[in-house]
Amino acid sequence: MDQFRHMLIGWLLDGSGGPVRRETLMTLSKGRVASLGKQGPEYFKQREVEDLKSCTLVPGFVDAHVHLALSGTEDAGEREAQRKASLESSSTRIRDHLKEHIRHGVVAVRDGGDKDGHALVYKHRVLAKSPSPVAVKAAGQGWHASGRYGNLIGGSPQTGETLAQALARRGAENDFVKIVNSGLNSLTCFGAETASQFALEALVEAVKKAHGLGKKVMVHANGRIPVGWAVEAGCDSIEHGFFMGRENLEKMAERQTVWIPTVFTMAAYAEKLAGRSRESEVAKRNLDHQLDQIRLARRLGVPVGVGTDSGSLGVHHGQAFCKELQLLLTAGFTLEEAVQSATARGAALLGVEDHTGMLAPGKPATFVAVRGGPERLMEGLKSPRLVVVKGEVVDGGKDFLSQRLRGSKEEFRQD
């Protein structure tokens, strides 16, 4: 009995950043890619091959910045209720958000925290017993300085406690450490910067402690000094990074610090605040400035990942991902580069390479299929034809894979 599964792919972007492959035969075995290549007519006479010639395949996507306990609703009352929600209420919302991610081809997410750490609790209590096809990495609660921005997604060190001591006290169960080191972007004063929330020495000590515990550090930071100190401290990723400037981008390129620009947030603000002309105008300017920074980051060689900040106003889980990806293309990324940022780079940052990342021999058979060629990928991602995780169809029409080029179903199955 044939223990392999064979698929003929029309167009393949493997996540490496390399060129699109045309008419590639992909062989799967036990949830992994066994081989990728070309085969002659004799191969198809002897084996049943599933027909994906009309599709473009990419690895399953990684959203490196979400807030699963929050939604993108515009209803101010509902947003406030979500901030104060019970674990039970949050759990229902988290479950629904994970479903939305998988529907849009997102198979791994990194949660940047919520006030009570509900996303992390959900992972340990629910997903541990009933796993989702979405790999979840969670910070639990972020750390912010007392009296500064960040209460929405975490808490502050106790009186007399250093940042390093605080994260060590609470850090046994979380996957990442989240530090908030600036305020939000102003929507009334373009380019306004806030002070760093923590001293450089405190950040250095905290990052060293986190790394000693085997945890990476993600830092919310906007503006030159907050970003600069976070990079100098050795953080693993900068979240947002609005108005950080060329010098910081050069440092990030040198150190290979990953940048998650979350640029779609400003597009969403510009749209949702259209009735408030000043705020909408500043949001549009913020968007344009961030796109310019992304263009520069690409030229300098800064590793850019894809994160949506889903849960922010107007940024909806799952569906925001292709919009964030499209903005990388707007900023000059090639399609191959954008897909690499959204797959292999995100997977490496989250440490989920055994779940998704690249399509190559030995790698997990986790992919998204959309109808048409690469030029239709962005449109197709609004409603993918097929989402497969480790060889198993988790969304889309399973009947789609019943279309065969040769052979019979009885001769072919995946063991």
Side-chain angles (χ1 to χ4, degrees), residues 70 73 75-85 115 152:
L70 304 173
T73 180
D75 186 315
E78 174 59 21
R79 295 188 68 79
E80 182 61 25
Q82 289 178 14
R83 296 185 182 107
K84 300 175 180 178
K115 187 178 186 301
L152 171 65

Side-chain angles (χ1 to χ4, degrees), residues 339-375:
V339 169
Q340 181 185 34
S341 292
T343 58
R345 183 158 292 137
L349 178 63
L350 271 63
V352 294
E353 295 98 330
D354 199 50
H355 191 76
T356 189
M358 286 181 57
L359 289 170
K363 299 293 185 180
T366 299
F367 58 84
V368 182
V370 302
R371 285 197 182 276
E375 72 282 356

Side-chain angles (χ1 to χ4, degrees), residues 141-406:
Q141 295 172 295
W143 292 104
H144 67 91
S146 179
R148 293 290 304 274
Y149 165 76
N151 188 54
L152 171 65
I153 54 174
S156 304
Q158 297 175 357
T159 302
E161 185 179 48
T162 68
L163 178 60
Q165 290 169 338
L167 65 88
R169 168 173 52 84
R170 195 199 292 163
E173 59 185 10
N174 59 354
D175 301 308
F176 279 79
V177 170
K178 169 72 174 290
I179 297 174
V180 181
N181 198 42
S182 75
L184 292 170
N185 280 316
S186 173
L187 293 178
T188 57
C189 182
F190 174 73
E193 299 180 31
T194 60
S196 179
Q197 292 204 20
F198 297 99
L200 176 57
E201 295 77 11
L203 291 170
V204 169
E205 182 186 16
V207 171
K208 182 178 179 180
K209 174 62 72 174
H211 286 171
L213 294 170
K215 302 179 190 299
K216 292 182 179 179
V217 180
M218 57 189 298
V219 181
H220 163 116
N222 298 302
R224 289 163 294 181
I225 292 176
V227 171
W229 286 3
V231 173
E232 185 67 25
C235 74
D236 299 280
S237 68
I238 292 294
E239 313 298 309
H240 317 304
F242 287 86
F243 305 107
M244 61 177 159
R246 183 185 185 105
E247 183 177 347
N248 280 320
L249 287 169
E250 289 174 342
K251 289 180 181 177
M252 291 168 67
E254 178 183 352
R255 293 169 176 255
Q256 288 295 283
T257 306
V258 179
W259 181 28
I260 310 298
T262 64
V263 64
F264 176 65
T265 54
M266 288 300 120
Y269 272 123
E271 177 185 349
K272 301 305 177 184
L273 300 176
R276 295 146 69 174
S277 58
R278 177 59 180 168
E279 292 175 332
S280 179
E281 176 193 345
V282 172
K284 290 176 183 176
R285 293 181 67 187
N286 290 346
L287 168 64
D288 291 340
H289 189 276
Q290 189 76 326
L291 290 171
D292 284 342
Q293 288 199 136
I294 295 172
R295 293 183 183 97
L296 179 57
R298 177 177 178 267
R299 294 198 298 271
L300 293 173
V302 177
V304 175
V306 178
T308 60
D309 206 6
S310 292
S312 295
L313 178 71
V315 185
H316 299 284
H317 290 271
Q319 62 183 271
F321 195 84
C322 65
K323 297 178 181 179
E324 185 77 23
L325 197 59
Q326 178 63 59
L327 287 168
L328 289 189
L329 300 178
T330 300
F333 276 57
T334 66
L335 183 61
E336 294 86 347
E337 290 168 343
V339 169
Q340 181 185 34
S341 292
T343 58
R345 183 158 292 137
L349 178 63
L350 271 63
V352 294
E353 295 98 330
D354 199 50
H355 191 76
T356 189
M358 286 181 57
L359 289 170
K363 299 293 185 180
T366 299
F367 58 84
V368 182
V370 302
R371 285 197 182 276
E375 72 282 356
R376 298 188 61 187
L377 180 61
M378 291 300 106
E379 182 65 26
L381 288 176
K382 295 177 182 178
S383 182
R385 189 66 186 83
L386 200 65
V387 181
V388 174
V389 173
K390 294 185 177 181
E392 297 292 330
V393 177
V394 297
D395 194 77
K398 294 187 179 183
D399 59 318
F400 188 61
L401 287 180
S402 67
Q403 302 177 56
R404 314 291 178 175
L405 293 175
R406 295 288 187 275

Side-chain angles (χ1 to χ4, degrees), residues 127-145:
L127 298 184
K129 297 177 182 177
S130 180
S132 164
V134 182
V136 176
K137 298 291 184 177
Q141 295 172 295
W143 292 104
H144 67 91

Side-chain angles (χ1 to χ4, degrees), residues 9-50:
I9 313 304
W11 298 267
L12 175 68
L13 287 92
D14 63 13
S16 69
V20 176
R21 301 190 194 190
R22 189 74 175 94
E23 292 195 353
T24 302
L25 186 74
M26 181 168 67
T27 301
L28 314 183
S29 178
K30 297 179 180 178
R32 292 189 175 273
V33 178
S35 66
L36 286 170
K38 299 281 187 179
Q39 295 292 343
E42 290 301 314
Y43 190 92
F44 295 91
K45 290 180 180 179
Q46 300 172 25
R47 295 167 179 83
E48 184 179 85
V49 179
E50 293 172 292

